[in-house]
Amino acid sequence: MLLCIDCGNTNTVFSVWDGERFLATFRTSTEHQRTADQYFVWFSTLMENRKLEVAITDCIISSTVPRVVFNLRVLCDRYFDTRPIVVGKPDCLLPVNPRVDEGTQVGPDRLVNTAGAYDRHGGDLIVVDFGTATTFDVVAHDGAYVGGVIAPGVNLSLEALHRAAAALPHVDVTKPQAVIGTNTVACMQSGVFWGYVGLVRGICDRIKAEYDCPMRIIGTGGLAPLFSQGDVLFDLIEDDLTMHGLTVIYSHNKENGSI
């Protein structure tokens, strides 16, 4: 069994892949001080609760938080007796290498999303990922990551608004009933929701114009379904795109003898 680990700035996700489907997916907050032992107790307890008895034989890790990688490596070595593949490291092969400025380090999450999107939908794509940051990844006709855009994430923007303006409350991200808010919460929800609808559409339109080729837009991340209610922003929504990308990269490395 393959254990896929996606560590983002806010959450870390563990998924167990049996070669055909994900048997289980678990989510926890990202904490750089969490030890390998703590990860194992958390993971094994959830597996027991789901009554899943599987032997983890391989692991692959994508992490945008470098400080957690060491303990995740220890977890894989100590408890699963395997050396994990870490996306973005020199010994991790990619199906197609990114074409960006020399010396640029592309985030592992963007490489994984690119691999997953190309495997499912081919090339000439824009992948919009609603995470701690809202990222736009441009996938070329051959599956290469060729650049993109990074914007502040939705929840990050709301938190900044609350901190900078003491009178403004915390609000949930939701589609408002009307654009014109008649109270403070409704005004904030409208600004965030319709503001990000406009941001996504505007950036995607500009990418398409610059790329000068028909492109499909793939939405992913927890808030993608919510923002698809605001307008026809995406051609497709993929809720497991990152995890699928990890399985694609793992299979590529296995086929090419790097593991």
Side-chain angles (χ1 to χ4, degrees):
M1 295 286 178
L2 172 66
L3 176 61
C4 299
I5 304 175
D6 173 42
C7 179
N9 291 294
T10 304
N11 293 313
T12 298
V13 181
F14 283 46
S15 288
V16 180
W17 173 256
D18 70 355
E20 296 183 355
R21 63 190 180 96
F22 289 108
L23 300 180
T25 297
F26 306 117
R27 185 181 300 268
T28 185
S29 58
T30 298
E31 298 176 5
H32 70 269
Q33 70 271 27
R34 184 169 293 169
T35 66
D37 300 331
Q38 289 173 316
Y39 276 120
F40 181 72
V41 169
W42 167 79
F43 176 70
S44 60
T45 299
L46 289 174
M47 291 289 283
E48 288 175 6
N49 286 341
R50 291 282 298 272
K51 295 181 171 56
L52 291 172
E53 296 182 7
V54 299
I56 302 298
T57 58
D58 297 280
C59 299
I60 183 168
I61 299 169
S62 169
S63 176
T64 58
V65 186
R67 288 191 293 177
V68 307
V69 174
F70 174 78
N71 282 325
L72 290 174
R73 283 184 180 272
V74 174
L75 166 72
C76 298
D77 177 63
R78 179 180 297 167
Y79 290 104
F80 306 128
D81 193 27
T82 185
R83 180 175 178 270
I85 301 171
V86 180
V87 178
K89 298 299 182 183
D91 58 349
C92 177
L93 303 178
L94 298 173
V96 184
N97 289 326
R99 293 195 292 272
V100 293
D101 294 342
E102 186 176 353
T104 300
Q105 288 190 333
V106 181
D109 55 332
R110 309 184 82 175
L111 297 174
V112 170
N113 281 347
T114 295
Y118 181 74
D119 181 70
R120 282 182 170 171
H121 307 293
D124 297 327
L125 305 173
I126 303 170
V127 180
V128 184
D129 188 353
F130 291 89
T132 305
T134 301
T135 60
F136 299 73
D137 303 326
V138 180
V139 184
H141 68 281
D142 61 348
Y145 170 85
V146 293
V149 176
I150 301 175
V154 178
N155 288 312
L156 190 63
S157 295
L158 278 172
E159 183 64 25
L161 190 62
H162 169 70
R163 288 188 178 185
L168 296 180
H170 282 289
V171 298
D172 294 329
V173 183
T174 187
K175 181 183 178 181
Q177 295 182 348
V179 176
I180 301 173
T182 54
N183 57 68
T184 301
V185 170
C187 288
M188 292 176 67
Q189 288 176 331
S190 182
V192 170
F193 182 85
W194 292 112
Y196 270 86
V197 168
L199 180 144
V200 171
R201 172 181 285 108
I203 289 178
C204 287
D205 285 348
R206 288 181 177 273
I207 289 174
K208 287 181 177 180
E210 190 172 296
Y211 196 75
D212 195 24
C213 174
M215 305 180 78
R216 285 177 294 170
I217 304 173
I218 311 299
T220 191
L223 292 176
L226 170 65
F227 281 96
S228 69
Q229 298 176 25
D231 224 325
V232 184
L233 292 178
F234 312 115
D235 294 293
L236 293 161
I237 293 177
E238 297 277 9
D239 59 357
D240 65 343
L241 185 64
T242 301
M243 286 300 166
H244 177 67
L246 284 172
T247 68
V248 171
I249 293 175
Y250 166 79
S251 297
H252 179 74
N253 281 264
K254 190 169 185 179
E255 290 167 4
N256 287 272
S258 63
I259 54 175

